[in-house]
């Protein structure tokens, strides 16, 4: 085991830096292997800093070329420099300028942090700690400064030179083949928001005039030459985002220009650098033949997310990395709301909850659980998690549910007013809401500090004589690493009571908890909420819209669930009722297959048949209602001694039975939904396609039904949603046409790496023992490369997170393969390696044989020498 484990950074140790920085002037002379960076940094001693206190600047793999202070070179004993630190022993008492010259090698930067090259384009990624790979700096989010950036490069290498802010100067350097550009960003920002890009890129332009003050903003999207025709949707999404932020939050854009650059090698989705967002090209490029409806929705969401960071992240940033959810949870909430307004709110909510349950619940229930605002970390890169992002967004949503629309808006307005231009904390955020609405949010704040998914256990008692309904609601939360006991949370439970005729019921009085309109506010471990004056026994609908990120165990009878599935006017809870009915069957099918009675399956099938044909629901919602819980969902619900093969068999049996029961209706629906109109990515058309594909999926589960129709669907497709869905069905059902379709796909799209990622994923997620060997073969395919994060995620990431039976193979070969990949990848790109290793996060829920094999693979990783702190941290915490 590694012994030089990094000491953790702790929230309680936070102190401001002894020196502040007012301005940073960068002069970057680009060359592929030896880029020279001159940083002139203006420091000033803070009032309470003793004169002469040393100044420590962070570095990472840096080479210092020269150093001077106020224009004079420093004597050798005035400072100490290593690759990861520069110390100035006794800085002056008065403000001073330090000029640091470093030399860096963008070509050798395989970590994709700091300045690197992607397909020849120079680009940067500085969040969280990448700026220190460019120059020595106080590289932390609470040091805000005004940046001016001059970039110089050979014209032929990099005709385009970009940085944050507005362009101020550009020109040729006479007598040379070089040119330069200067950019000035007037908004003080932390170093993690610094960015520069240089390369030979194509540019798509547009403009946006702000609603609030009529300012014209130039919009530019930069892509590799040849991709100009794939930017329309991203540009449209950007303009819609800019408008929506003005309308929904009163936030206007602030620079003269907003730029997006799409690069092909990127560790995550995108980055919100001030005025110069850098994107993984997957979230920019789209045309119907190459992008699925899900891709379009992803582009819309990520473009919006990064744009919204301009206010929640850039104008108001985080005091320290513990406050990451301050910008991420809030910005996810904002992008979710944007997409809800652009598309169907109900469908978006279901999709978001599905995502939360699929990614955040397992994290919160396993060894990697951590509070939304953690209190210690060894490697901050490992805290860009579903908990910080998705649960962080749920907390903001709860705040809105609890305080109401007006109270929420008043709190947001006060937050922007008070903290614009600052590096803030969760306390600052909550205080804005508390002050704006005169509400005590101390108990609510526990959502940020207590990890784990709470459970609400609900039980009901109907008193026919008194006509009262008593709902007992008990909350609890299981221990998580470092947190044995939990205090009760404030939980807003949105609800309704549904009468026998399907209508909402009124009551004359309610007691036992605070009830704000249709929200019961839980504050104690247990409440007995009594509704009086009801005309008949209602069926309760609790946690409407998933109003709190909890597990609800309300023990509803099958009869009541079927009633809710038919009558609840909350679309989310309708979906939830169907899911619960299906989950009960699937769980039992996996654990005790012989107890599954066919009449139970028939009941579910009848309900789904009814739902699929109900014209009152939009097609996208019907598609969600028809989709059975995934194998991973079932594993999560079972929670112990999980056998993925048994789950797969049970799911398949239920699916086939439903398909058999509904075959005629499904076939009719499939025909009726065929779209004659040309492809449109807009929500209504996407919804029809989604429903048609769910129905095709069911039909394809029946032996003999599948083949011809699915292959015809593949061949007739005029868009990627249809083509890819059909390809997946053929491959995942080992259809006779599978190989032919795979070859056809490769012939059509072999040169388009983003599309070939889909081809890799389809093969990596095929539920067969041969899959592992195929993946090994595919690692040698020309489209695959260990240096590109998208390729790794598409092939190996998809296998580890999306192939339940094969990653968790009973012989342990899946675990060994992923462990081997993590170890070799760690040397090249630790962030991507650590992310891949977190696929082991639920290893403890497996049955004993698989559990032992997963543990052995994890231990082998943990005990390897020369691990990055990223991988070391995930391995150690996974085993705790
Ligand atoms: N803020 C970036 C994520 C940076 C991740 C650094 N390891 C993208 C986003 O959430 O918008
Ligand atoms: Zn973000």
């Amino acid at each position: 085991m590694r012994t030089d484990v990094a000491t953790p950074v702790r929230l309680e140790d936070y102190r401001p830096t002894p020196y502040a920085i007012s301005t940073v002037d960068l002069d970057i002379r680009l060359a592929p292997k030896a880029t020279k960076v001159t940083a002139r940094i203006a420091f000033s001693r803070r009032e309470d800093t003793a004169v002469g206190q040393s100044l420590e600047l962070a570095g990472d793999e840096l080479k210092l070329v020269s150093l001077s202070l106020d224009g004079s070179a420093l004597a050798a004993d005035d400072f100490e420099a290593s690759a990861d630190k520069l110390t100035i022993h006794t800085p002056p008492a008065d403000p001073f300028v330090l000029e640091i010259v470093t030399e860096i090698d963008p070509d050798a930067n395989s970590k994709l942090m700091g300045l690197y090259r992607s397909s020849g384009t120079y680009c940067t990624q500085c969040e969280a700690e990448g700026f220190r790979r460019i120059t020595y700096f106080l590289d932390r989010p609470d040091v805000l400064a005004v940046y001016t950036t001059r970039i110089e490069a050979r014209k032929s290498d990099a005709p385009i030179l970009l940085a944050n802010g507005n362009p101020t100067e550009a020109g040729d350097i006479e007598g040379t083949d070089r040119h330069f550009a200067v950019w000035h960003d007037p908004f003080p920002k932390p170093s993690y928001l610094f960015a520069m890009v240089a390369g030979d890129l194509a540019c798509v332009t547009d403009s946006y005039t702000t609603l609030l003050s009529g300012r014209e903003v130039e919009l530019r999207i930069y892509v590799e030459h040849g991709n100009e025709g794939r930017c329309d949707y991203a540009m449209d999404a950007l303009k819609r985002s800019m408008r929506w932020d003005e309308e929904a939050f009163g936030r206007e854009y602030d620079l003269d220009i907003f730029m997006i650059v799409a690069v092909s090698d990127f560790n995550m989705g995108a980055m919100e650098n001030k005025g110069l967002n850098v994107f993984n090209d997957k979230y920019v490029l789209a045309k119907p033949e190459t992008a699925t409806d899900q891709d379009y929705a992803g582009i819309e969401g990520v473009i919006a997310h990064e744009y919204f960071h301009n206010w929640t992240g850039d104008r108001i940033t985080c005091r320290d990395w513990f406050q990451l959810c301050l910008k991420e949870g809030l910005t996810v909430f904002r992008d979710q709301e944007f997409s809800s307004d652009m598309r169907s709110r109900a469908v978006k909510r279901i999709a978001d909850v599905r995502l939360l349950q699929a990614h955040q619940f397992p994290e919160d229930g396993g060894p990697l659980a951590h509070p939304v605002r953690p209190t210690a970390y060894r490697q901050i890169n490992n805290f860009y998690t579903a908990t910080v992002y998705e649960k962080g967004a749920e907390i903001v949503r709860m705040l809105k549910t609890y305080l109401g629309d007006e109270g929420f808006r008043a709190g947001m307005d006060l937050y922007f007013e008070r903290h614009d231009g600052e590096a803030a904390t969760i306390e600052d955020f909550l205080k804005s809401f508390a002050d704006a609405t005169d509400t005590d949010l101390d108990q609510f704040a526990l959502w940020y500090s207590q990890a784990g998914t709470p459970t609400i256990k609900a039980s009901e008692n109907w008193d026919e004589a008194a006509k009262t309904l008593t709902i007992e609601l008990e909350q609890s939360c299981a221990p998580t690493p470092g947190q044995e006991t939990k205090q009760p949370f404030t939980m807003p439970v949105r609800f309704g009571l549904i009468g026998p005729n399907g209508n909402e019921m009124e009551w004359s009085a309610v007691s036992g908890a605070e009830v704000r309109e249709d929200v019961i506010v839980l504050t104690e471990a247990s409440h007995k909420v009594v509704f009086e004056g009801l005309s008949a026994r209602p069926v309760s609908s609790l946690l409407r819209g998933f109003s709190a990120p909890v597990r609800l165990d309300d023990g509803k009878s099958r009869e009541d669930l079927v009633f809710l599935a038919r009558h609840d006017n909350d679309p989310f809870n309708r979906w939830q009722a169907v899911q619960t009915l299906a989950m009960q069957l699937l769980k039992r099918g996996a654990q005790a297959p012989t107890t599954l009675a066919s009449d139970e399956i028939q009941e579910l099938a009848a309900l789904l048949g009814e739902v699929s044909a109900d014209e009152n629901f939009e097609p996208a919602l019907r598609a969600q209602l028809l989709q059975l819980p995934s194998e991973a969902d079932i594993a999560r619900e079972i929670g112990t001694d999980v056998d993925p093969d048994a789950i797969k068999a049970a799911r398949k049996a239920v699916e086939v039975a439903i398909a058999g029961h509904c075959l005629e209706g499904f076939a009719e629906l499939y025909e009726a939904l065929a779209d004659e109109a040309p492809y449109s990515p807009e929500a209504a058309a996407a919804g029809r396609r989604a429903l048609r594909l769910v129905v095709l999926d069911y039909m394809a589960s029946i032996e003999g039904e599948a083949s011809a129709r699915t292959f015809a669907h593949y061949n007739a497709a005029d868009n990627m949603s249809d083509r890819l869905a059909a390809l997946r069905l053929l491959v995942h059902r080992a259809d006779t046409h599978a190989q032919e379709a795979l070859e056809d796909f490769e012939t059509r799209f072999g040169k388009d790496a983003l599309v070939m990622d889909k081809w890799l994923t389809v093969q990596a997620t095929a539920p067969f023992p041969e899959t592992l060997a195929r993946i090994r073969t595919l690692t040698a395919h020309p489209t695959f490369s260990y240096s590109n994060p998208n390729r790794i995620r598409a092939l190996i990431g998809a296998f580890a997170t999306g192939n339940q039976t094969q990653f968790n193979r009973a012989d342990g070969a899946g675990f060994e393969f992923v462990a081997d990949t993590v170890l070799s990848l760690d040397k090249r790109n630790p962030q991507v390696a650590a992310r891949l290793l977190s696929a082991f996060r639920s290893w403890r829920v497996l049955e004993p044989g698989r559990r032992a094999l997963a543990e052995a693979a994890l231990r082998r990783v943990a005990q390897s020498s020369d691990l990055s702190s990223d991988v070391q941290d995930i391995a150690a915490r996974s085993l705790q």
Side-chain angles (χ1 to χ4, degrees), residues 389-411:
Y389 276 65
E390 264 61 54
K391 190 173 176 183
E394 292 300 318
I395 301 179
V396 179
R397 187 172 297 283
M398 279 192 286
L399 206 50
K400 187 169 183 208
T401 306
Y402 183 36
L403 301 176
D405 291 358
E406 277 176 31
F408 180 75
R409 178 67 197 262

Side-chain angles (χ1 to χ4, degrees), residues 245-264:
D245 212 13
E246 294 195 60
E247 288 169 346
F249 282 89
R251 299 295 110 198
E252 187 181 21
Y253 187 62
D254 46 14
L255 290 164
D256 301 339
I257 180 167
F258 183 81
M259 297 175 286
I260 288 173
V261 181
V263 299
S264 47

Side-chain angles (χ1 to χ4, degrees), residues 599-661:
D599 64 326
E600 291 176 283
I601 306 181
Q602 295 308 317
E603 183 186 61
L604 177 67
L607 184 65
L608 292 180
E610 203 180 296
V611 159
S612 69
D614 191 336
E615 301 279 340
N616 293 318
F617 297 136
E618 56 188 316
L621 183 58
R622 283 190 264 162
Q624 289 283 9
L625 285 161
L626 282 183
Q627 245 169 65
L628 289 176
S630 70
E631 290 170 30
D633 290 334
I634 303 164
R636 187 185 67 240
E637 286 303 308
I638 292 175
T640 49
D641 290 328
V642 166
D643 174 352
D645 292 322
I647 291 175
K648 179 169 175 273
R651 190 175 186 280
K652 169 105 188 157
V654 171
E655 190 182 25
V656 169
I658 292 169
H661 184 99

Side-chain angles (χ1 to χ4, degrees), residues 272 305-306 309 327-328 331-332 389:
E272 70 265 24
H305 179 96
E306 305 310 328
H309 267 314
K327 73 177 178 82
E328 294 305 348
T331 306
V332 170
Y389 276 65

Side-chain angles (χ1 to χ4, degrees), residues 18-246:
Y19 296 85
I21 298 176
S22 53
T23 58
V24 179
D25 286 281
L26 294 166
D27 186 351
I28 304 174
R29 312 236 166 146
L30 292 168
K33 298 196 182 329
T35 289
K36 215 161 106 184
V37 179
T38 303
R40 280 174 216 93
I41 310 171
F43 287 93
S44 57
R45 186 172 54 89
R46 292 199 199 269
E47 254 175 31
D48 49 358
T49 300
V51 173
Q53 183 174 326
S54 66
L55 169 63
E56 277 188 13
L57 304 180
D60 183 10
E61 298 185 312
L62 282 180
K63 185 165 123 193
L64 180 65
V65 175
S66 70
L67 180 66
S68 68
L69 197 152
D70 286 336
S72 310
L74 278 172
D77 55 358
D78 287 341
F79 71 96
E80 202 175 315
S82 66
D84 58 8
K85 197 152 101 180
L86 172 63
T87 307
I88 311 294
H89 295 311
T90 44
D94 294 329
F96 60 96
V97 174
L98 204 59
E99 185 180 287
I100 307 169
V101 181
T102 49
E103 190 186 286
I104 50 182
D105 182 348
D107 265 4
N109 186 352
S110 63
K111 294 183 179 172
L112 314 187
M113 282 296 281
L115 176 64
Y116 65 95
R117 292 222 299 170
S118 171
S119 307
T121 298
Y122 293 91
C123 63
T124 54
Q125 172 54 37
C126 291
E127 186 176 4
E129 297 179 334
F131 194 69
R132 64 187 63 183
R133 294 169 61 77
I134 297 172
T135 189
Y136 294 99
F137 205 72
L138 292 173
D139 191 16
R140 38 186 275 179
D142 60 344
V143 177
L144 309 189
V146 170
Y147 285 64
T148 306
T149 308
R150 180 183 182 281
I151 312 168
E152 189 185 305
R154 278 169 56 167
K155 276 190 274 184
S156 53
D157 280 354
I160 304 287
L161 305 172
L162 311 171
N164 312 94
N166 297 316
T168 56
E169 219 188 316
D172 292 343
I173 298 172
E174 264 179 51
T176 72
D177 61 350
R178 300 175 73 77
H179 71 151
F180 75 97
V182 181
W183 293 78
H184 177 73
D185 180 4
F187 294 95
K189 64 167 175 284
S191 50
Y192 83 85
L193 290 173
F194 168 79
M196 62 130 287
V197 170
D200 186 1
L201 296 166
C203 181
V204 175
T205 59
D206 207 327
S207 71
Y208 172 75
T209 306
T210 65
L211 302 176
L212 293 170
S213 61
R215 274 181 352 98
E216 188 163 313
V217 182
E218 190 183 340
L219 308 177
R220 295 187 194 164
I221 298 181
Y222 289 94
V223 291
E224 281 173 21
H225 290 283
N227 281 336
E228 298 90 323
R230 295 214 238 172
C231 301
D232 295 355
Y233 192 76
M235 187 65 94
D236 183 58
L238 173 61
K239 288 192 283 184
R240 285 184 282 121
S241 305
M242 294 178 89
R243 188 188 175 97
W244 185 88
D245 212 13
E246 294 195 60

